[in-house]
Structure formats: structure tokens, C-alpha cells
Amino acid sequence: MRLSRYFLPILRETPKEAEIVSHRLMLRAGMIRQEAAGIYALLPLGLRVVNKINTIIREEQNRAGAIELLMPTIQSADLWRESGRYDDYGKEMLRIKDRQEREMLYGPTNEEMITEIFRAYVRSYKDLPLNLYHIQWKFRDEIRPRFGLMRGREFLMKDAYSFDLDQAGAQHSYNKMFVAYLRTFARLGLTAIPMVADTGPIGGNLSHEFIILASTGESEVFCHRDYLSMAPPSAGTDFDDKAGLQAIVDQWTSLYAATEEKHDKAAFDALPADKQVSARGIEVGHIFYFGTKYSTPMKAVVAGPDGSLIPVHGGSYGIGPTRVAGAAIEASHDEAGIIWPEAIAPFKVGLINLKPGDSAVDAACGDLYLQLGAKGVDVLLDDTDERPGGKFAKMDLIGLPWQIIVGPKSLAEGKVEVKNRRTGERQLLTPSDALVLVS
Ligand code: ATP
Ligand code: MG
Ligand code: MG
Ligand code: MG
């Protein structure tokens, strides 16, 4: 992409309404635009980040055996009356009437709709297990939308729903998502810790929130320090190996980690002092086993091996891609701007032409631009007339992992400068060595 032809509306001033750094940086870096309280347009740079996040989420959901579909944002109130949640959900639900006076709503989540789809087609235990997911906008009329994308009213969610014949099967489905989440967050470049979360009236211990530690997090969390350095399960993990998967989950749940609601002070205090981490956290994912909570009232039943009708055991598994984008910035930035983890950076390389119009510099930039493109490396070429200081500041602000700086002086010696955004390290290299380093 050439910056001269791109749409990157950088703000010079720090927006006053933004309380936390990720919100400020997203606005300044031209990633998002607020259209109403808690409702944002994703501008081109923001969309690139969210698309990269979605791709990683998809790959790991698919690897774990979940199947993608796409449900609508608008739902019928009648479905929610069947589960009993239409009245319970309260003011967070945006309720709408169509021209025929039919009651509709903008979905805050999709348990009812997926259960309706399931019961329409699935009849036999032989069709289980099944896990269906989508990545779709949700609307929750949050009392206090704030922090930009992190607590929006309209936001993206990946929500998966598993269906099993019994609790043992549901446990395996839960473990698949647990492991998929460990891999997903690690690939996103984030350290997300699975913490025991409240299961509400259903009980049991099958609910975990995946939490990123950050001082601006909205919840208070407590965990064992070793979680900060545990290696995620490998890409070769066999999701059909029940015992193997259970062993991974056991390993990741054996140490202390809990949100405020489930905090056990005595157990936490018993940890060695240097292993106690008490911090603020951002909930980026949440997985949940809820048994027959929806299948019983909504009659989602299958014929078991003996022909009897059995309500299926369900679980739901959410990740907020738009919140993840904000949380990634909270976890990784400096005074100058964002420092993207490579996997979700909007471009991998920022190529800075220090003197557009200089034929040698233009040619070197053009050449690097083409070669990076040919190698499949996303590159943003700053070919604008802005002064060098402004270009440097902009590249630091948008936080691309690598900068290649091409100017007449170093080019006369056959060199370009390569800067690593995270470490700040700079090297003078030949263009071909620079190419190798950044790709
Ligand atoms: P919170 O406790 O922050 O209100 P939640 O527990 O209500 O979140 P879930 O119903 O568990 O959220 O939804 C699954 C995921 O969707 C969350 O883990 C989070 O990543 C994302 N999410 C939820 N609410 C929002 C929101 N208002 N804005 C952005 N992402 C959200
Ligand atoms: Mg909520
Ligand atoms: Mg929550
Ligand atoms: Mg939650």
C-alpha cells in the first residue's frame, strides 16, 4: 500500500474523551471513528488489525474441529421467550419493532438461535459432537460504554456453541476450546491466563475467563506467576485424543488463577510470596459449559443409542476480536505509540521514502516495495511529501514491527536503515540484507 493513495486519518491532538492509552492511540492512529456512544466505524488500518485477529481465531477454531457459519444480527423475540431469557436479559438488550409490530432484537449473543438451528436438523446422537461458530457483530446496551473498542455497545464476537450427548462428551468439547484458546491468544502475541470464573446457578468448575494483565483492566485478578511463562500447546496437538487434551487442561488449571468473584484468599496467600501476582485484568475470552440450560426448554433433543430422546449438553465459547485489538495495545505500547505483535500488525513493514522525487531513492523504494510484495510481506510505503520528522513519528505511532528508511545519504553507500519498532535497534544494511531481515 502506498500512503499517498491510502486513507489514514492521523490525529495530531490527543483526543480528550479517551481515558486509556489504547483508545487514545487507536483514535490518533486513524484506526477507528466513533459514530455514536460505544459504536465505532473501523477505518482501514483498524480493519486490517481486526481481520488479522479474526483469521487467527478462525484457523484455531477450525483446527479444533469447530465449523463456521454466519447467523444474522437481528433475532426474533419469540426465540428468547422460549428460553426464558427475553425478560431476564434486561436493559442490555436492544429491542426493536419492525413495521408489522413484530418484536425483534439485536443479538447480544446467540445461544437461542444456534439451538433453534441445531434442533431443526440434528436428530441422532450419531451426529454428535458438533461445534458451530461465527464471527458476528453483537449489540449490548452497556451502561457505561468506554475505552473505545474495549467496551463498545456494538462489538465483534467470535462465539462457538458445542453440542454433546452427555457431560463427559461436553467436557471433551470444552477442553478442545480451552486448548484452542491457549493457542489462539499465544498466536495473537498475547499472554492470556485462563482463570476460574463464575458459572452462576449451574455450578461446577467448567467456566474460564481468559485474562490479559493490564493496569487498565476492569477486573481484579489473582494468579500464580508461572502462568506468565508457560508455553502454549503445540500445533500438533491431537484434538481427538481425550486423555491428552485433558492432561493439557489439567496442567493449565493446576496452578492458582481466579477472578475477584472466585478468589480464595487463603489459597492465594499460601503461594510463595514471589509467585503471587495480584493485578488488574482484561477479559478477552470466556468459555462456559451450561449443560441442558437451553436444550431442555427449547427441546433440542437427539435420539440416544437406545432410541430415547435426550436433551443435548451445551457449552458456549466467546472471544471479542475488537476488544482484543484494544487489549493488545494496552499490553504493548510506548511513549511514541503502538507496538504491534507481528501477527496482528496492520502491515509488517513501513517503508519510508525520505526524499520523494530523488530518482535513486524512488527507485530503491520502488524495488523494495515490489520485492516485499512478491514475498507476501504487507508493506506500507510512505511516499508522501511530509518532512522526515513527521514520517518517523507517524510510523512509530502506528507501530509496524519494522521500518526501512531509505534516504539519499545512506543510499549513496548502498545502504538503507532498518529499525525494529519494539527494541528500537537500528542497522545499516544493503537493501537485499534488509529484505532478508524483515521477511
Ligand atoms: P464483560 O465482563 O467485560 O462485560 P462479558 O462477560 O459480559 O464481558 P461475555 O458474555 O463472556 O462477555 O462475551 C464473550 C466475550 O465478548 C468477552 O470475553 C469479551 O472478549 C467480548 N465482549 C463482551 N462484551 C464486550 C463489549 N461490550 N465490548 C467489546 N467486547 C466485548
Ligand atoms: Mg458484560
Ligand atoms: Mg465478564
Ligand atoms: Mg464473560
Side-chain angles (χ1 to χ4, degrees):
M1 182 57 64
R2 292 173 185 273
L3 189 56
S4 59
R5 298 179 205 161
Y6 199 42
F7 182 65
L8 183 63
I10 300 282
L11 301 184
R12 281 178 210 292
E13 309 284 300
T14 297
K16 285 188 197 64
E17 74 271 25
E19 298 168 66
I20 62 170
V21 67
S22 60
H23 189 192
R24 281 198 291 275
L25 288 173
M26 278 200 193
L27 289 169
R28 285 193 51 217
M31 293 178 61
I32 56 171
R33 169 88 190 158
Q34 182 174 308
E35 295 300 333
I39 300 179
Y40 289 84
L42 294 176
L43 301 180
L45 198 74
L47 180 61
R48 288 185 74 94
V49 171
V50 170
N51 280 341
K52 291 204 168 176
I53 293 170
N54 287 344
T55 297
I56 291 175
I57 292 174
R58 267 197 187 96
E59 287 173 2
E60 294 303 326
Q61 289 291 293
N62 296 348
R63 189 197 304 278
I67 303 163
E68 187 171 11
L69 46 50
L70 184 59
M71 291 177 268
T73 55
I74 305 294
Q75 307 188 18
S76 158
D78 289 340
L79 260 185
W80 288 67
R81 291 207 172 88
E82 284 191 47
S83 72
R85 283 210 292 180
Y86 189 62
D87 294 325
D88 292 352
Y89 214 90
K91 285 188 178 282
E92 251 191 37
M93 180 184 276
L94 179 64
R95 297 158 206 258
I96 308 163
K97 267 193 192 147
D98 69 9
R99 67 201 295 166
Q100 320 285 358
E101 295 288 305
R102 278 184 294 243
E103 289 175 282
M104 316 290 284
L105 57 101
Y106 194 128
T109 178
N110 283 63
E111 281 83 1
E112 283 78 0
M113 190 178 280
I114 200 73
T115 303
E116 188 282 323
I117 291 172
F118 177 91
R119 78 180 173 195
Y121 300 108
V122 184
R123 298 272 174 267
S124 161
Y125 76 97
K126 290 180 189 150
D127 299 322
L128 302 181
L130 186 63
N131 184 327
L132 299 169
Y133 77 96
H134 70 164
I135 300 178
Q136 178 62 292
W137 294 98
K138 304 289 185 287
F139 193 95
R140 294 182 184 177
D141 203 350
E142 303 274 356
I143 304 183
R144 249 194 106 193
R146 56 179 186 159
F147 299 165
L149 295 188
M150 294 243 275
R151 184 167 297 284
R153 292 197 297 164
E154 189 176 338
F155 59 95
L156 266 187
M157 195 196 289
K158 183 288 297 180
D159 34 330
Y161 302 91
S162 67
F163 300 92
D164 280 276
L165 189 63
D166 52 27
Q167 188 174 347
Q171 171 81 56
H172 184 212
S173 292
Y174 184 90
N175 291 351
K176 287 182 189 172
M177 289 293 108
F178 189 106
V179 171
Y181 276 36
L182 291 175
R183 286 194 43 77
T184 300
F185 290 116
R187 282 190 60 198
L188 291 168
L190 300 170
T191 305
I193 302 166
M195 302 204 181
V196 176
D198 224 348
T199 47
I202 295 154
N205 58 0
L206 278 187
S207 178
H208 288 87
E209 286 175 10
F210 287 75
I211 303 269
I212 291 176
L213 304 186
S215 56
T216 46
E218 291 184 288
S219 35
E220 209 178 342
V221 299
F222 306 85
C223 71
H224 194 289
R225 188 168 303 280
D226 288 1
Y227 276 115
L228 299 174
S229 53
M230 269 161 82
S234 79
T237 303
D238 179 359
F239 283 86
D240 292 323
D241 173 4
K242 284 188 183 154
L245 226 50
Q246 186 65 55
I248 297 173
V249 172
D250 288 346
Q251 183 208 349
W252 279 85
T253 51
S254 62
L255 297 176
Y256 189 86
T259 57
E260 203 175 1
E261 303 85 63
K262 298 291 279 183
H263 184 45
D264 174 352
K265 192 169 180 306
F268 182 70
D269 289 345
L271 299 179
D274 64 329
K275 294 291 185 190
Q276 294 177 8
V277 176
S278 142
R280 312 284 310 170
I282 301 168
E283 177 192 331
V284 284
H286 193 170
I287 62 176
F288 209 101
Y289 163 69
F290 49 66
T292 59
K293 178 173 174 185
Y294 302 97
S295 61
T296 299
M298 294 186 69
K299 303 190 178 57
V301 295
V302 294
D306 63 358
S308 62
L309 294 178
I310 301 164
V312 290
H313 285 246
S316 65
Y317 314 90
I319 297 182
T322 41
R323 179 177 288 183
V324 163
I329 298 176
E330 288 298 320
S332 179
H333 63 270
D334 64 12
E335 292 292 296
I338 303 166
I339 304 175
W340 287 113
E342 196 163 306
I344 62 174
F347 298 91
K348 187 173 177 188
V349 176
L351 181 56
I352 301 178
N353 182 333
L354 282 183
K355 203 171 181 198
D358 177 308
S359 57
V361 175
D362 286 350
C365 284
D367 201 42
L368 278 167
Y369 184 75
L370 283 179
Q371 293 200 53
L372 286 165
K375 287 184 155 202
V377 177
D378 293 330
V379 50
L380 180 65
L381 167 59
D382 189 345
D383 56 348
T384 65
D385 293 328
E386 198 178 351
R387 65 192 167 76
K391 290 187 174 182
F392 295 143
K394 186 178 291 179
M395 277 301 175
D396 280 351
L397 173 64
I398 68 173
L400 311 182
W402 295 99
Q403 298 171 14
I404 302 181
I405 302 151
V406 186
K409 255 194 218 147
S410 40
L411 200 60
E413 284 149 33
K415 299 282 173 66
V416 297
E417 192 177 12
V418 181
K419 175 178 161 182
N420 181 297
R421 174 67 180 89
R422 187 173 294 280
T423 62
E425 191 195 349
R426 293 163 184 276
Q427 303 179 55
L428 273 177
L429 299 172
T430 63
S432 53
D433 285 347
L435 210 62
V436 172
L437 181 63
V438 305
S439 29

